[in-house]
């Protein structure tokens, strides 16, 4: 790479604090405050969304928040025009033509063999130990979901997260549990999903009409010891909840156990926000929510052959090899320790550059030629990942470095 360490740590351009000057800039500034949690006085017309802590997830939140206020601002707009003044210029007011109608996908309409619906329902109900009448819908899993479930099948509780949500002392437990139930019925039915292996359909997921699974209130350490080996995977509920208490400080927590097949970092924040709104009585049951089934339908409509050809072309002549080298091809890596390093007094680069002078070279097929922009508008994790890729390439004597 031509992007040297010396270049990465340079900081030779003064930061600007020019305040927003237009109505659009001021409106956008208020949205940044909500999404980034940065005081308004620290957000100027030339401030960068990325430099203030923005990333792809917060970009999605910003786009969603803008749409709620009748403003058109895509994630692509945010990431390609990260400066407040530039972003305000690409932001526009939504019209009736821009309104996206939520597609309604009829239950069981995504089955590969709809004529065998009764058989599929019986298999699903039998494996989950529920009644057929409780099944609201069944539809295919995505490739990512299949991969995550297969990893869990090979190694118990892989990709199962235990998340502690600290509760305020005045939180009413009964009301809090009811808020979760309301969300599972309104905006997040995926909380009630299960995944089974059906002979005629493969891995499918279904929404089950049942209450969320709450474990009895108990001390935190006792709960962790009792349930740390409790299986979660095929045919089981993929969300479990419990109110636990840390005996060391008498703090109460909601312990959310969830399989990664039904959540990610972005959706988890949305879920907690929805539960908070339901608890406070602000949950709007009439607000349309895009269903996961609509995404599955979109995914199923993609041309599989074109997709295969695209990736075959992208990875043609790829010579990437595992690092560190595995003992054998079937070796399953299991992390048993964590190494942490803190970078202090890290200076973010500010110098402008063009493709003719700098670029990231991660692999022959992944060549990111950057248009004229400021290095400050590159995500911090991108620089760290590029640095790690360069180091890996040196150790492996290979120009191909792939993260995955």
């Amino acid at each position: 790479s031509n992007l040297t360490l010396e270049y990465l740590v340079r900081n030779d351009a003064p930061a600007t604090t020019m305040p927003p000057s237009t109505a659009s800039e001021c409106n956008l500034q208020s949205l940044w405050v909500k999404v980034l949690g940065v005081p308004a006085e620290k957000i100027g017309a030339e401030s960068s969304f990325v430099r203030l802590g923005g990333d792809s997830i917060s970009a999605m939140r910003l786009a969603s928040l803008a749409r709620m206020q009748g403003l058109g601002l895509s994630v692509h707009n945010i990431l390609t025009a990260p400066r407040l003044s530039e972003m305000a210029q690409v932001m526009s007011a939504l019209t009736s033509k821009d309104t996206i109608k939520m597609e309604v996908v009829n239950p069981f309409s995504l089955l590969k063999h709809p004529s065998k619906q009764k058989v599929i329902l019986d298999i699903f109900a039998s494996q989950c130990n529920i009644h057929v009448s409780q099944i609201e819908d069944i539809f295919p899993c995505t490739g990512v979901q299949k991969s995550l479930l297969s990893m869990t099948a090979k190694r118990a509780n892989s990709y199962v997260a235990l998340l502690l949500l600290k509760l305020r002392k005045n939180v009413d437990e009964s009301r809090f549990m009811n808020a979760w139930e309301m969300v599972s019925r309104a905006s997040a039915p995926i909380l009630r999903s299960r995944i089974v292996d059906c002979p005629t359909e493969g891995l499918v997921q279904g929404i089950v009409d049942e209450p969320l699974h709450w474990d009895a209130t108990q001390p935190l350490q006792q709960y962790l010891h009792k349930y740390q080996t409790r299986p979660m995977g095929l045919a089981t509920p993929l969300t479990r909840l419990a109110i636990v208490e840390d005996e060391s400080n008498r703090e109460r927590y909601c312990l959310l156990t969830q399989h990664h097949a039904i959540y990610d970092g972005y959706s988890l924040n949305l879920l907690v926000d929805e539960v908070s709104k339901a608890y406070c009585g602000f949950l709007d049951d009439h607000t349309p929510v895009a269903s996961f089934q609509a995404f599955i339908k979109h995914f199923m409509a993609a041309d599989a052959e074109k997709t295969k050809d695209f990736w075959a072309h992208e990875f043609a002549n790829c010579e990437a090899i595992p690092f560190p080298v595995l003992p054998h091809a079937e070796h399953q890596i299991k992390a048993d320790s964590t190494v942490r390093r803190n970078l202090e007094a890290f200076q973010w680069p500010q110098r402008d550059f063009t493709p003719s002078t700098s670029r990231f070279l991660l692999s022959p097929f992944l060549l990111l030629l950057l248009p004229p922009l400021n290095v400050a508008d590159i995500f911090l994790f991108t620089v760290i990942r590029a640095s790690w890729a360069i180091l890996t390439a040196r150790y492996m004597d290979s120009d191909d470095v792939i993260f995955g």
Side-chain angles (χ1 to χ4, degrees), residues 74-87:
S74 68
V75 173
H76 176 75
N77 293 150
I78 296 169
L79 298 182
T80 55
R83 296 188 182 283
L84 185 78
S85 57
E86 297 171 353
M87 196 181 297

Side-chain angles (χ1 to χ4, degrees), residues 164 218-225 244-246 253 255:
L164 277 177
Q218 55 195 288
L220 173 59
Q221 295 304 322
Q222 178 180 326
Y223 180 90
L224 294 177
H225 178 73
V244 296
E245 182 178 273
D246 189 341
Y253 297 86
L255 197 153

